[in-house]
Amino acid sequence: MPRQRPRMSFEYFPPRTQEGKAKLLQETTPALNELDPAFFSVTYGAGGTTRDTTLGVVSAIREAGIEVAPHLSFGGDDENAIGTLIDTYQERGINRLVALRGDMPSGMGGSSQLVYANELVAFVRERTGDHFQIEVAAYPEIHPEAKSYDNDIQFLKGKLDAGANSAITQYFFNVESYFYFLDQCAAAGISKPIYAGIMPIINFANLARFSRNCGAEIPRWICQRVEGYGEDQESIRKFGIEIVTQLCQTLLDSGAPGIHFYTMNHIEPTREIYRNLGL
Ligand code: FAD
């Protein structure tokens, strides 16, 4: 039997300005949509800080007839506020969600208690039944707050058992970490798909800073290579495309069920990598 086409999806964050939003909707989305992704997803700011902008971008993409998944977390909100937001998504014809615990933005920590993603999944299922296709987050290099490797896998299982359909991973550059993780998940009784999250290299300095916080490792050889290029941005760009293309090729050749691109709201390099893969 021929293998199913891998599922491809593209992630955005909600732009801060009207110009940014217009560019995302009028230029970036039509260009990336030509690549025929299964859906776009739009992040939700820590603590609910982008509630309206996420809703605005998601609604506009849906109105253009394109499949879209808002990310969602309780943040500091109560069940009423989150319930109303979920109902609005349902009314607007959205049938996918990425359910997260999220993090508190700095300065907002304090009294609010973060709600674990498994509880959000259960809440969505209780409120809307099977309406939404729910994704959750997975961490091949393990979530920075996890007590242990096995413990983190058990919590992923908990989110999937609570009713999520599949998982999308944090980005990684060590392909072995992903396949080892899949094996460990299978051994723990997880049979739902775990899609590979891939970060094209756009701004290496930002990526390096962000990676330190989210627990994704950039291998030393990649750092050394980029450092050697100094200010030569064109060489960094080409190197980034080359290694991320290779990473995706390995994933697809080895049977990954699909890839979720963290596009950072850019058409390139995602489009170039996609073309290199002959998709
Ligand atoms: P959870 O699955 O709830 O896990 C959080 C931590 O607690 C883990 O260490 C886990 O081991 C532990 N844990 C889980 N359940 C329990 C439990 N019941 N009891 C005790 N411990 C538990 N962040 C944003 O702010 N906005 C976004 O839009 C966003 N999108 C993302 C999309 C993807 C695909 C990924 C991979 C991450 C995304 N993040 C986003 C980051 C994410 O919010 C953070 O990594 C956050 O710290 C954890 O969220 P989670 O849903 O994975 O949490």
Side-chain angles (χ1 to χ4, degrees), residues 43-44 71 100-103 116-117 139 143 146 152 155 159 262:
T43 62
Y44 192 68
H71 296 207
L100 302 148
R101 181 200 73 171
D103 297 306
Y116 290 114
Y139 301 86
H143 187 267
D152 210 28
F155 286 130
K159 300 192 269 193
Y262 294 101

Side-chain angles (χ1 to χ4, degrees), residues 7-117:
R7 190 188 84 172
M8 303 308 239
S9 50
F10 297 146
E11 181 171 310
Y12 289 156
F13 58 85
R16 285 205 189 92
T17 62
Q18 279 307 321
E19 298 79 56
K21 184 177 172 189
K23 183 163 186 256
L24 189 73
L25 296 173
Q26 288 158 25
E27 287 177 35
T28 312
T29 304
L32 288 179
N33 198 40
E34 276 184 21
L35 306 177
D36 199 21
F39 64 93
F40 288 79
S41 83
V42 184
T43 62
Y44 192 68
T49 45
T50 67
R51 187 190 348 267
D52 295 340
T53 41
T54 299
L55 175 63
V57 171
V58 162
S59 302
I61 295 176
R62 187 67 205 118
E63 277 163 27
I66 298 171
E67 282 270 306
V68 59
H71 296 207
L72 185 66
S73 55
F74 263 95
D77 284 330
D78 62 16
E79 292 191 352
N80 258 342
I82 290 299
T84 305
L85 185 55
I86 292 167
D87 294 347
T88 306
Y89 283 132
Q90 186 168 7
E91 284 155 20
R92 293 190 186 178
I94 306 289
N95 50 24
R96 292 178 180 272
L97 283 178
V98 181
L100 302 148
R101 181 200 73 171
D103 297 306
M104 276 297 165
S106 44
M108 249 178 93
S111 56
S112 301
Q113 188 74 26
L114 286 168
V115 177
Y116 290 114

